[in-house]
Amino acid sequence: MNIFNFTKTELEEYLIKNNFKKYNATQIIEWVYQKNINDFNNMSNISKKLISFCDDNLFFKLPKIIKKEESKLANKYLLELDDGNKIECVLMFHDYGNSLCISSQIGCNMGCSFCESGRLKRVRNLELYELSGQILSISKYENIKIDYVVVMGIGEPFDNFENIKRFISVVIDNKMINIGQRHLTISTCGIVPKIYEFADLCTGVNLAISLHSPNDELRSSIMKINKVYNIKELFKAIDYYILKTNRRVTIEYIMLLDINDDEKCAKELAKLLKGKLVYVNLIPYNETSNFTMKRSNDFKIKKFYDILKMNNINVTIRKEMGSNLSAACGQLRANENKF
Ligand code: SF4
């Protein structure tokens, strides 16, 4: 079994079941995650019996980086998994720290009409070691500390909820990856029942919602999920998350030319968000040759931004992190597989 596929609790249970002590799990975890030791024989404070057991039953395996595209503000990586499937993640260099955007599934079934990732249907969910392995592989490869993680790459995280829960426990555990919960964000297109479950976990992890439209008619036309959970149901769940956690929710809004970027949409969005503990991230669309949708022009984006501001909505325009990269999420993988 892959050592990176255990949470702390799971490793404790596994070792106890095999007649070792609960604290042995913490010892091993400290060697693996804090001292970067990938050989049980080099773990000097564990017994010969435990070393031999671990050697016989556990191994170390992380996703392999097979391609890297670089720009000044961001790097994009293609990683290969054991079964030959490929995923991608993006490392962004902000003035406040390094932020890694990771994938949660191989492909995605949510079918958002503007999304390169959604064009590649879900093959399978990512396992725990493939989720956390993106952080571990990139930080090791670049020899850097990753300060922030956003689960916003290929896939819908709440469609892989059980592994995302385990992933959260590994990321925020101070003996494991040790990235504070406030530095971890999970982004969903709006699987409402999972938003309630996520809120009930009370982990302090941030929630981001891919909204992209202020009304049901438009949202249903670009995001299939809205036909299952409409905006009213979605905001009931968002309100519940805010009530439960007192955390601000990020509202992601991709700016699509002449689709969702006019004054009417901006005013409608301002009305929808009025008085809520939210913050809007306006995202200039990354055009790809597979879709006819275009990026809103700077004038329209600025106008949209101004309307939200005038209505006292917290809003920013996402900085574009290097247009020479295969920028749209899913694009590097698609290019590699020649879809
Ligand atoms: S935007 Fe997110 S949820 Fe929608 S298809 Fe793309 S990856 Fe899936």
Side-chain angles (χ1 to χ4, degrees):
M1 278 181 283
N2 190 342
I3 187 81
F4 295 109
N5 214 25
F6 286 90
T7 64
K8 187 165 164 236
T9 311
E10 288 165 359
L11 189 59
E12 285 169 352
E13 285 167 0
Y14 177 70
L15 292 178
I16 289 168
K17 205 171 120 205
N18 287 283
N19 303 318
F20 293 98
K21 301 280 184 238
K22 187 177 171 184
Y23 70 83
N24 291 140
T26 307
Q27 290 175 312
I28 293 173
I29 281 167
E30 281 176 352
W31 284 109
V32 174
Y33 286 91
Q34 293 177 359
K35 296 172 193 153
N36 243 324
I37 298 297
N38 283 3
D39 182 344
F40 295 109
N41 291 287
N42 292 336
M43 300 182 182
S44 56
N45 61 349
I46 65 173
S47 67
K48 285 216 164 64
K49 192 174 152 216
L50 180 55
I51 290 175
S52 157
F53 172 81
C54 290
D55 257 344
D56 290 345
N57 294 285
L58 300 171
F59 59 87
F60 300 84
K61 189 98 196 253
L62 290 173
K64 197 169 129 204
I65 296 167
I66 56 168
K67 192 169 178 179
K68 173 181 170 185
E69 288 184 359
E70 282 179 89
S71 77
K72 205 171 150 206
L73 295 172
N75 293 343
K76 192 162 193 170
Y77 305 86
L78 189 69
L79 294 94
E80 190 173 59
L81 307 174
D82 281 356
D83 59 3
N85 275 304
K86 296 177 184 79
I87 50 170
E88 56 186 60
C89 45
V90 180
L91 176 64
M92 290 157 281
F93 309 108
H94 298 288
D95 41 15
Y96 54 82
N98 300 318
S99 171
L100 186 69
C101 175
I102 69 162
S103 298
S104 57
Q105 297 179 308
I106 297 164
C108 181
N109 276 351
M110 296 298 128
C112 304
S113 63
F114 46 82
C115 176
E116 186 71 28
S117 304
R119 210 171 59 80
L120 314 164
K121 289 284 165 249
R122 184 185 66 189
V123 177
R124 66 172 174 83
N125 287 332
L126 293 189
E127 297 297 329
L128 168 61
Y129 74 95
E130 296 167 329
L131 294 164
S132 57
Q134 295 171 69
I135 306 172
L136 297 166
S137 290
I138 304 291
S139 64
K140 196 169 173 188
Y141 182 84
E142 298 292 358
N143 195 22
I144 55 161
K145 183 176 178 307
I146 288 169
D147 306 293
Y148 296 84
V149 172
V150 288
V151 187
M152 209 179 274
I154 300 172
E156 163 52 53
F158 284 176
D159 193 31
N160 184 12
F161 195 65
E162 289 310 309
N163 285 333
I164 287 292
K165 278 198 287 187
R166 297 167 68 220
F167 166 75
I168 290 171
S169 80
V170 169
V171 173
I172 68 178
D173 190 311
N174 62 7
K175 297 258 184 255
M176 299 181 94
I177 293 183
N178 192 22
I179 291 175
Q181 58 266 50
R182 292 178 179 219
H183 287 203
L184 173 61
T185 301
I186 313 289
S187 173
T188 177
C189 67
I191 301 185
V192 163
K194 298 297 175 200
I195 296 175
Y196 287 102
E197 278 189 55
F198 181 65
D200 286 337
L201 293 176
C202 290
T203 54
V205 170
N206 302 309
L207 174 68
I209 302 287
S210 299
L211 187 66
H212 310 320
S213 165
N215 63 64
D216 282 324
E217 194 186 346
L218 179 54
R219 193 163 192 264
S220 294
S221 73
I222 56 174
M223 297 180 76
K224 285 185 189 164
I225 189 72
N226 201 69
K227 293 177 184 163
V228 185
Y229 305 110
N230 64 22
I231 289 182
K232 193 172 168 206
E233 290 171 277
L234 177 59
F235 272 87
K236 228 171 122 186
I238 293 171
D239 289 344
Y240 180 79
Y241 170 87
I242 294 170
L243 189 74
K244 197 87 195 189
T245 64
N246 202 27
R247 303 284 300 146
R248 187 172 71 167
V249 172
T250 302
I251 302 292
E252 307 283 352
Y253 196 101
I254 288 183
M255 299 297 292
L256 301 163
L257 184 66
D258 297 337
I259 293 177
N260 64 354
D261 63 346
D262 62 12
E263 280 187 50
K264 189 171 160 281
C265 282
K267 285 178 184 160
E268 224 178 324
L269 184 63
K271 199 171 158 203
L272 181 67
L273 301 180
K274 196 175 170 57
K276 295 196 185 294
L277 187 59
V278 295
Y279 139 95
V280 179
N281 195 9
L282 298 178
I283 308 168
Y285 181 55
N286 283 316
E287 295 174 12
T288 84
S289 56
N290 295 311
F291 296 97
T292 51
M293 289 170 172
K294 297 276 173 243
R295 174 194 186 282
S296 299
N297 57 49
D298 290 345
F299 176 78
K300 289 189 99 172
I301 295 174
K302 180 68 173 50
K303 179 108 192 168
F304 202 98
Y305 170 90
D306 287 342
I307 291 171
L308 292 180
K309 268 272 171 216
M310 266 176 345
N311 283 278
N312 297 318
I313 306 291
N314 285 314
V315 55
T316 53
I317 300 170
R318 184 187 285 178
K319 198 152 97 183
E320 290 169 273
M321 303 299 285
S323 53
N324 62 323
L325 296 177
S326 305
C329 126
Q331 206 176 332
L332 183 62
R333 173 175 167 251
N335 291 346
E336 186 71 12
N337 288 345
K338 297 192 175 47
F339 277 90

